[in-house]
Amino acid sequence: MLKDVKKEALKRMNYASGHLDGIRRMIEEERYCVEILQQTYAVRQAIKRIEATVLDGHLRTHVAEGVRDGREQEVFDELSELYAMQNR
């Protein structure tokens, strides 16, 4: 994993983790449902950003290497599986 990708992904993980802890407290305190849902939305967005960051790094490194090494079908299959998982 590229250093900049790792750094960015970990930063976003810390952000999401902090939000999850906050959501737990909000539920325990029986906060207003809409406020809780707003925070769960923020976590989903943070996870999407983590995924985009890691995918970008993967495309720039492992996919490019795989194509250069003649493993186009393997790379294609992995990306197809990721796409299918996203759309389930």
Side-chain angles (χ1 to χ4, degrees):
M1 181 177 285
L2 296 170
K3 286 184 180 184
D4 63 326
V5 171
K6 181 178 178 179
K7 181 179 178 181
E8 185 66 20
L10 289 172
K11 179 179 89 171
R12 294 184 182 281
M13 281 296 303
N14 288 332
Y15 176 80
S17 179
H19 268 290
L20 285 172
D21 291 342
I23 293 167
R24 177 178 286 111
R25 283 191 301 276
M26 293 173 78
I27 292 170
E28 290 169 350
E29 296 168 1
E30 298 183 21
R31 296 277 295 273
Y32 188 55
C33 297
V34 171
E35 292 174 3
I36 294 169
L37 292 169
Q38 288 169 338
Q39 294 305 307
T40 62
Y41 176 76
V43 170
R44 284 197 324 270
Q45 293 304 107
I47 290 171
K48 286 180 182 181
R49 288 186 203 108
I50 293 165
E51 291 172 341
T53 299
V54 173
L55 178 59
D56 178 69
H58 183 68
L59 293 172
R60 289 189 288 140
T61 58
H62 298 106
V63 170
E65 290 169 6
V67 170
R68 275 195 306 267
D69 294 345
R71 296 181 290 113
E72 294 90 354
Q73 188 61 49
E74 181 183 339
V75 169
F76 176 78
D77 291 345
E78 286 178 345
L79 294 175
S80 292
E81 177 62 26
L82 284 174
Y83 181 77
M85 287 174 63
Q86 179 183 1
N87 292 307
R88 287 185 191 150

